[in-house]
Amino acid sequence: MTAINKTKWIIDPAHTQVQFKVKHLVISSVTGSFDKFDGGIEASREDFSDAEVWFSADVLSINTNVPDRDAHLKSPDFFDATNHPKLTFKSTGIKKTADEKYKLTGDLTIRGTSRPIGLDVEYGGLMKDPWGNTKVGFELSGKLHRKDYGLSWNAITEAGGLVVSEDVNILIDVELSRQ
């Protein structure tokens, strides 16, 4: 039996954005990001159709450009960063759905709760940078229900609406370097 040679790719943090968007008062959206993260891919096929993906983000790096809101998100009302300093993702499968499009499935763990999640992936291409390093890019998107992960804080407005939507949109633009 021949061993399968896998290529390892590591996230280039200078060219990657990990963002989320959630409705506030049902009338506008708040966008935030995680500024410290790591992860990568291992794949033996050039089209990444057998990719294994892993990722983690430092919860203390959450950034919505409002320090008081960031502090609240780090608190036990939301991420409880003291007890759960990282959120993690580990893939369980990937399926090519069209040219340059995939469905990535895996387990997302937030606040110690792991749940399956599916993400849409668009392949951006492969390129050598000016220093001869091989890079690959992807855009990932998906949605999660925050209460499924214990992020259940909310308040009700005078009109009876929720202050924070229960659905959170995820958008990750990632560039990886071949190792």
Side-chain angles (χ1 to χ4, degrees):
M1 182 179 257
T2 305
I4 297 174
N5 290 329
K6 290 189 175 185
T7 301
K8 187 172 184 177
W9 302 81
I10 298 296
I11 288 179
D12 177 350
H15 299 103
T16 298
Q17 295 178 347
V18 179
Q19 298 179 312
F20 59 89
K21 187 178 264 192
V22 63
K23 286 284 188 189
H24 180 252
L25 301 175
V26 192
I27 60 169
S28 65
S29 292
V30 170
T31 301
S33 63
F34 291 95
D35 295 337
K36 293 183 182 174
F37 46 81
D38 64 359
I41 297 173
E42 283 190 5
S44 60
R45 297 184 186 146
E46 287 185 23
D47 71 352
F48 297 93
S49 62
D50 67 339
E52 296 175 25
V53 179
W54 69 95
F55 172 82
S56 70
D58 181 349
V59 173
L60 288 173
S61 76
I62 200 164
N63 182 0
T64 64
N65 293 315
V66 178
D68 288 344
R69 179 172 48 220
D70 296 345
H72 191 204
L73 289 170
K74 295 171 192 176
S75 79
D77 283 346
F78 286 97
F79 285 97
D80 192 10
T82 300
N83 294 309
H84 305 283
K86 294 211 181 277
L87 63 84
T88 62
F89 174 84
K90 176 131 178 60
S91 66
T92 55
I94 188 164
K95 181 180 179 185
K96 194 167 187 174
T97 57
D99 282 347
E100 302 180 353
K101 296 199 185 281
Y102 301 84
K103 187 68 165 188
L104 177 65
T105 55
D107 294 321
L108 178 63
T109 302
I110 301 174
R111 282 185 62 123
T113 299
S114 294
R115 299 194 48 97
I117 189 168
L119 300 169
D120 295 319
V121 179
E122 186 170 341
Y123 174 64
L126 186 127
M127 182 75 61
K128 281 204 185 265
D129 70 14
W131 301 274
N133 302 303
T134 303
K135 305 283 191 153
V136 65
F138 297 94
E139 184 175 289
L140 295 85
S141 61
K143 185 182 284 193
L144 64 84
H145 191 74
R146 66 184 178 86
K147 284 189 171 183
D148 290 344
Y149 297 92
L151 306 173
S152 56
W153 181 89
N154 221 333
I156 305 295
T157 66
E158 276 184 25
L162 295 176
V163 171
V164 182
S165 172
E166 294 177 3
D167 291 324
V168 179
N169 293 307
I170 301 165
L171 179 60
I172 302 172
D173 286 304
V174 62
E175 185 175 299
L176 300 109
S177 301
R178 184 184 320 202
Q179 300 301 292

